[in-house]
Amino acid sequence: MGGRSGGESPDSDAARNDGPDPAEGGPADPAEGDRPGRSGRRPGRSGAKEKILAAARARFAENGFDKTSIRAVATDAGVDPALVHHYFGTKQQLFTAAIQLPFDPEATLRTILGVPKDELGKTILREVVGIWDSPAGPGVIASFRSMLASGDLSLARTFVLEVVLERVRLRIATPEDDGRARVALVASQTMGVLVARKLVGVEPLASMPLPALVAAVGPTLQRYLTGPLELVGEDVESERPRDR
């Protein structure tokens, strides 16, 4: 990401020399109007930011989080990778902007990953439901409703399994169990709670205090993550009743 690519946008030079454009929501540069000899477009005037977001949504939806690179997004948007970093920072921050989340999932992940392994279940539920219960909650709900209404669930699936729960999976994985089924069960349980509590309004779950909810459901998540988990796979046929 250090060199210039052949498809570099004129915006990238401006991006390296100036701060964020006030029109893009960044702070104004007080010296902007006093610099002699400045010409051309200021950052964001060409719609580069919107092109980057559109390219990122398409890439993340098609390839997932891990297989999408900043360089690939920049190429699709016709800009230099430096401009992507200028506007959005890291790949995770780009993903957060692409799906329009009103919170930083990295901060939540730091809290979740900072607890002992036997407290993961309760912590995951407390942190995730806590976000939905917070002032940021309506924005989160709107983002997920938008993803679900679009009919393309790949972005929602990528966010849950590759961004939120992948590092949890790596923490609980063993040579005998990669943890994928475990985090999928956690995802299904957590999303079920969120839908019942916030979208459908099932009582008394919808108005249950968060500590009571965590105490009731957290142990189930913990069992999914680290407890005994008997998965029926290749032995399904042998366990079916046979005709006598």
Side-chain angles (χ1 to χ4, degrees), residues 15 24 27 45 51 58 72 81-82 103-104 116 123 125 136 150 161 166 170 181 195 199 223 238 242:
E24 298 296 328
R45 291 294 177 88
K51 291 177 184 177
F103 72 98
D104 179 10
T123 305
L125 191 68
S150 71
L161 294 180
E166 175 61 11
L170 292 174
V195 169
L199 301 185
R223 181 177 68 83
S238 64
R242 299 185 181 276

Side-chain angles (χ1 to χ4, degrees), residues 48-243:
K49 191 172 184 179
E50 291 71 24
K51 291 177 184 177
I52 292 168
L53 283 174
R57 290 188 192 103
R59 277 278 176 175
F60 285 128
E62 180 178 357
N63 298 334
F65 183 81
D66 288 340
K67 295 181 180 178
T68 295
S69 67
I70 291 287
R71 184 171 294 279
V73 170
T75 298
D76 292 349
V79 301
D80 190 272
L83 192 61
V84 181
H85 288 294
H86 167 75
Y87 281 131
F88 301 104
T90 66
K91 185 171 74 168
Q92 182 157 309
Q93 289 170 321
L94 173 61
F95 185 89
T96 299
I99 62 175
Q100 299 178 322
L101 284 178
F103 72 98
D104 179 10
E106 183 63 32
T108 302
L109 278 170
R110 282 196 297 269
T111 300
I112 292 172
L113 296 173
V115 302
K117 195 180 293 186
D118 60 0
E119 295 180 16
L120 282 170
K122 290 183 177 181
T123 305
I124 288 172
L125 191 68
R126 182 172 56 249
E127 291 299 313
V128 173
V129 176
I131 290 171
W132 285 60
D133 285 353
S134 75
V140 179
I141 294 170
S143 296
F144 274 89
R145 277 181 169 158
S146 176
M147 284 190 282
L148 295 175
S150 71
D152 183 0
L153 302 182
S154 53
L155 279 176
R157 186 168 55 249
T158 293
F159 175 70
V160 172
L161 294 180
E162 296 188 37
V163 176
V164 176
L165 290 178
E166 175 61 11
R167 276 184 275 176
V168 174
R169 182 191 72 80
L170 292 174
R171 187 172 179 193
I172 65 170
T174 66
E176 297 77 27
D177 181 354
D178 64 11
R180 295 187 188 281
R182 292 178 178 276
V183 296
L185 288 168
V186 168
S188 69
Q189 184 85 27
T190 305
M191 287 188 287
V193 168
L194 293 174
V195 169
R197 184 175 174 89
K198 290 297 183 180
L199 301 185
V200 181
V202 176
E203 290 292 359
L205 185 64
S207 56
M208 186 178 293
L210 182 56
L213 180 64
V214 170
V217 182
T220 299
L221 299 189
Q222 190 64 46
R223 181 177 68 83
Y224 287 156
L225 290 170
T226 59
L229 193 62
E230 184 176 346
L231 297 176
V232 178
E234 298 177 354
D235 295 329
V236 171
E237 287 293 333
S238 64
E239 295 181 10
R240 288 179 178 169
R242 299 185 181 276
D243 294 333

